[in-house]
Amino acid sequence: MVRERETPKQQQQVSYTVEQLVAVNPYNPDILPDLENYVNEQVSSQTYSLDANLCLLRLYQFEPERMSTQIVARILVKALMAMPAPDFSLCLFLIPERVQMEEQLKTLIVLSHYLETGRFRQFWDEAAKNRHIVEAVPGFEQAIQTYAIHVLSLTYQKIPRPVLAEAINIEGLSLDKFLEHQAANSGWILEKGHGRGQLIVLPRNEFNHPELKKIAADSVPLEHITRIFTILG
């Protein structure tokens, strides 16, 4: 019986996405160029795949001579943008210490430390000195501003305007427009006041309003408690 020749359409179906390549054979060094291209694609399309990036960093461990510092830096910038997720630390564990000593990677590690400790003024000052690193990845500033607001919302019920301005690195008329947008779309309340004396009321959550957090004991069903006493008896 003569075997039918595959049509071009059938041949095209053999191609795999990067995610499929990672899932099927994550330790195949032949996919390294595809993973590097995928990092650049994530940057240009403002998408993100932690699994693919971790796979690339693992392959770099086995193929250190093929490592691209620029690609590694872009992976770390994207990981910073994912905070509060621990992606940056997960990536850093796979990067050799000698590579971490590269200047741009050292800068990113410092930036990560500032973010983790809530030192936003120092973060924005350091980022301004290294625009060539962070501005190479679109959406960086907006992602960090979102993270800063997340941190503030865990701490403040009412936040002074200067504290917010410092954390998100926005001032003046730009801050006014930002506050108006948040009031209209995110439930922020702008108390009466002008300039530095203005207070912004943030939405209630279980962290800035502890009374919203149910006490664990209150949520334990009665039958579970009686079962415990039965066991102890």
Side-chain angles (χ1 to χ4, degrees):
M1 183 175 180
V2 180
R3 183 181 178 184
E4 294 182 2
R5 174 173 292 186
E6 291 183 340
T7 65
K9 183 176 181 180
Q10 289 173 322
Q11 291 175 345
Q12 289 175 1
Q13 292 175 348
V14 177
S15 63
Y16 297 99
T17 65
V18 173
E19 288 88 352
Q20 289 171 332
L21 291 174
V22 170
V24 173
N25 196 355
Y27 295 100
N28 180 4
D30 292 339
I31 69 172
L32 196 149
D34 294 311
L35 291 172
E36 289 180 329
N37 290 335
Y38 192 48
V39 172
N40 291 327
E41 182 181 322
Q42 292 173 57
V43 170
S44 60
S45 63
Q46 296 193 45
T47 55
Y48 181 55
S49 174
L50 174 63
D51 290 340
N53 294 344
L54 290 176
C55 180
L56 176 56
L57 292 176
R58 281 192 293 269
L59 287 177
Y60 278 154
Q61 289 184 318
F62 297 112
E63 308 269 345
E65 71 283 354
R66 299 174 67 180
M67 179 178 289
S68 166
T69 304
Q70 182 186 38
I71 292 292
V72 173
R74 290 187 169 189
I75 289 175
L76 289 180
V77 172
K78 294 292 285 187
L80 277 182
M81 294 167 63
M83 292 185 74
D87 298 14
F88 190 89
S89 295
L90 294 175
C91 292
L92 204 60
F93 288 146
L94 297 175
I95 301 173
E97 287 189 19
R98 60 174 181 79
V99 180
Q100 294 182 26
M101 297 308 293
E102 295 277 348
E103 199 60 39
Q104 56 183 331
L105 301 192
K106 285 169 61 177
T107 296
L108 291 170
I109 292 171
V110 170
L111 291 175
S112 170
H113 177 69
Y114 285 150
L115 288 179
E116 290 173 352
T117 54
R119 296 158 66 183
F120 296 111
R121 180 70 274 149
Q122 291 94 324
F123 169 85
W124 292 114
D125 289 343
E126 187 67 24
K129 299 174 187 174
N130 296 276
R131 293 186 181 278
H132 63 288
I133 300 175
V134 297
E135 289 187 353
V137 181
F140 177 80
E141 185 174 2
Q142 294 83 351
I144 301 305
Q145 288 168 342
T146 299
Y147 169 69
I149 291 171
H150 165 76
V151 172
L152 295 176
S153 70
L154 300 181
T155 308
Y156 289 92
Q157 298 177 6
K158 296 182 179 181
I159 183 170
R161 180 186 174 106
V163 175
L164 176 65
E166 180 176 275
I168 63 177
N169 199 37
I170 303 178
E171 295 180 337
L173 292 176
S174 296
L175 181 57
D176 290 336
K177 292 181 180 179
F178 175 82
L179 291 174
E180 290 173 4
H181 176 81
Q182 293 297 109
N185 297 279
S186 301
W188 291 21
I189 299 174
L190 311 181
E191 291 194 343
K192 291 183 178 180
H194 299 282
R196 299 179 63 83
Q198 185 180 32
L199 290 174
I200 298 97
V201 181
L202 299 177
R204 293 159 62 91
N205 60 64
E206 64 180 14
F207 297 100
N208 62 17
H209 284 77
E211 69 274 11
L212 297 179
K213 189 173 185 179
K214 293 182 178 180
I215 300 175
D218 292 343
S219 62
V220 179
L222 179 60
E223 61 269 20
H224 288 188
I225 297 176
T226 56
R227 192 182 305 163
I228 292 173
F229 281 119
T230 302
I231 295 173
L232 291 176

